[in-house]
Amino acid sequence: MRTSKLSLALALLAFAAAPVLAQDSGTLKKVKDSGTITIGYRDASIPFSYLNAEQQPIGYAMDICSRIVDAVKKKLNMPNLKVALNPVTSSTRIPLMANGTIDLECGSTTNNAERKKQVDFGMTYFVVKYRYVSLKSSKMDSIDDLKGQTVVSTAGTTDIKALNELNSSKSMGMNILSANDHPAAFLMVETGRAKAFLMDDILLAGLVANSKNPSEFHISSSSLGLEPYSLMFRRDDPEFKKLVDDTMSEIYKSGDIEKIYHKWFESPIPPKNINLNIPISDALKEVFAHPTDSPDPKDYKS
């Protein structure tokens, strides 16, 4: 009986201590103890996160992430905090976040309800639509034009999931292929192995602009829907989320976000000094004016 009471007492003690332990194991403590914050980046998500000629990650998301890193340095009073860079793909980014390999992911990642069961997100910093790119000679533009075609998308993305759902629900008869990354999928269209590549419209625009012959490609006017992008970090870490959200809100409030946007979407960018010439959408203007971390597409203008 005494043993049973002792076991119960220890169990209650452990339960009571659990919130404290969880609080002590957050991202900021991990970073402080290790002296390093690890950033996950993409190598070909133009213009969000991609490699320049020196093989260093640059882009819109990387610039925003650098502001988060500055906030972490200030919060922890660690001006010499080391920043480690870890490449991720569409398939590896969530597992690497969940297992603690990376602390902050800076790329082109969709914030949705399903993913929030595994990870968390900061304020939305871009709004995209699912569209597809094809050769102009194919004369494709509508969703119906995909019927019976070989269509590719990138593994581990919400796009390929949406493509499979469309194929099933509408009996489209598509032959759906999976590519390891965006450039590989785009190459399949370029070489005729696939008729179309379904992906976020802004990423398609970057790929077309940096292709050998941009005039040969067409991005569909039709889309499968809308989704928000944001920075990704571990879930159940309110202290770190507050730091990220407060920092991003300040970037928006100060107007700095417009300068960062102009740098990457309305100015010549590496490696070919091509200007994407994509003005801020109405949906994104609304986000900048009223920051939100909502994963629900219905909360954004179409």
Side-chain angles (χ1 to χ4, degrees), residues 4-294:
S4 178
K5 288 182 178 180
L6 178 60
S7 297
L8 178 60
L10 289 173
L12 290 172
L13 182 61
F15 179 79
V20 177
L21 291 174
Q23 189 176 34
D24 287 345
S25 60
T27 299
L28 290 176
K29 183 178 188 303
K30 176 179 178 290
V31 169
K32 184 175 183 179
D33 290 347
S34 67
T36 302
I37 183 168
T38 302
I39 304 297
Y41 70 89
R42 303 295 296 275
D43 63 4
S45 286
I46 300 171
F48 295 90
S49 178
Y50 66 103
L51 298 178
N52 62 13
E54 290 73 40
Q55 298 300 294
Q56 292 298 309
I58 59 172
Y60 177 74
M62 294 301 295
D63 279 4
I64 295 174
C65 268
S66 71
R67 298 289 289 268
I68 305 299
V69 171
D70 288 343
V72 171
K73 290 179 178 179
K74 183 177 180 181
K75 174 77 173 179
L76 299 179
N77 192 24
M78 297 177 70
N80 297 318
L81 179 67
K82 181 181 176 182
V83 179
L85 299 170
N86 195 105
V88 300
T89 67
S90 299
S91 298
T92 65
R93 55 190 169 182
I94 291 178
L96 289 177
M97 179 62 69
N99 70 17
T101 299
I102 59 174
D103 302 308
L104 184 65
E105 193 259 351
C106 313
S108 50
T109 299
T110 299
N111 172 11
N112 62 30
E114 183 177 346
R115 286 177 173 172
K116 283 180 74 71
K117 296 175 183 178
Q118 304 176 71
V119 294
D120 209 346
F121 295 88
M123 299 295 187
T124 296
Y125 63 69
F126 205 82
V127 180
V128 300
K129 288 187 176 181
Y130 299 124
R131 301 186 194 272
Y132 67 84
V133 65
S134 60
L135 291 173
K136 278 186 179 178
S137 58
S138 297
K139 297 182 179 180
M140 299 169 62
D141 185 64
S142 71
I143 299 302
D144 283 345
D145 289 336
L146 296 175
K147 286 182 178 179
Q149 303 291 354
T150 295
V151 185
V152 64
S153 193
T154 308
T157 63
T158 53
D159 304 74
I160 198 165
K161 180 180 178 182
L163 191 60
N164 279 297
E165 289 176 350
L166 172 69
N167 203 27
S168 176
S169 64
K170 301 294 184 180
S171 300
M172 299 285 284
M174 291 182 286
N175 175 31
I176 298 175
L177 303 179
S178 173
N180 290 331
D181 55 33
H182 305 325
F186 186 75
L187 181 62
M188 293 178 74
V189 173
E190 195 170 26
T191 57
R193 286 178 289 166
K195 277 288 188 178
F197 168 29
L198 185 86
M199 185 43 56
D200 306 340
D201 52 5
I202 184 60
L203 299 181
L204 295 178
L207 289 165
V208 170
N210 284 278
S211 66
K212 294 178 182 178
N213 299 295
S215 62
E216 293 183 355
F217 299 94
H218 171 70
I219 297 175
S220 66
S221 59
S222 299
S223 76
L224 287 183
L226 172 155
E227 62 183 15
Y229 279 0
S230 192
L231 307 179
M232 180 175 68
F233 43 89
R234 279 181 287 280
R235 69 190 299 262
D236 298 327
D237 192 347
E239 185 179 20
F240 190 66
K241 178 168 174 55
K242 184 178 187 306
L243 181 145
V244 172
D245 287 349
D246 287 352
T247 303
M248 294 185 74
S249 293
E250 180 55 34
I251 295 172
Y252 296 174
K253 182 180 178 181
S254 68
D256 285 353
I257 190 63
E258 279 88 359
K259 298 174 185 176
I260 298 173
Y261 186 97
H262 178 73
K263 174 183 175 182
W264 293 104
F265 296 94
E266 299 175 305
S267 305
I269 60 173
K272 297 183 178 181
N273 290 322
I274 292 171
N275 189 336
L276 296 177
N277 284 313
I278 299 175
I280 301 176
S281 66
D282 289 341
L284 198 54
K285 286 179 182 177
E286 181 67 20
V287 168
F288 291 162
H290 305 96
T292 177
D293 66 349
S294 173

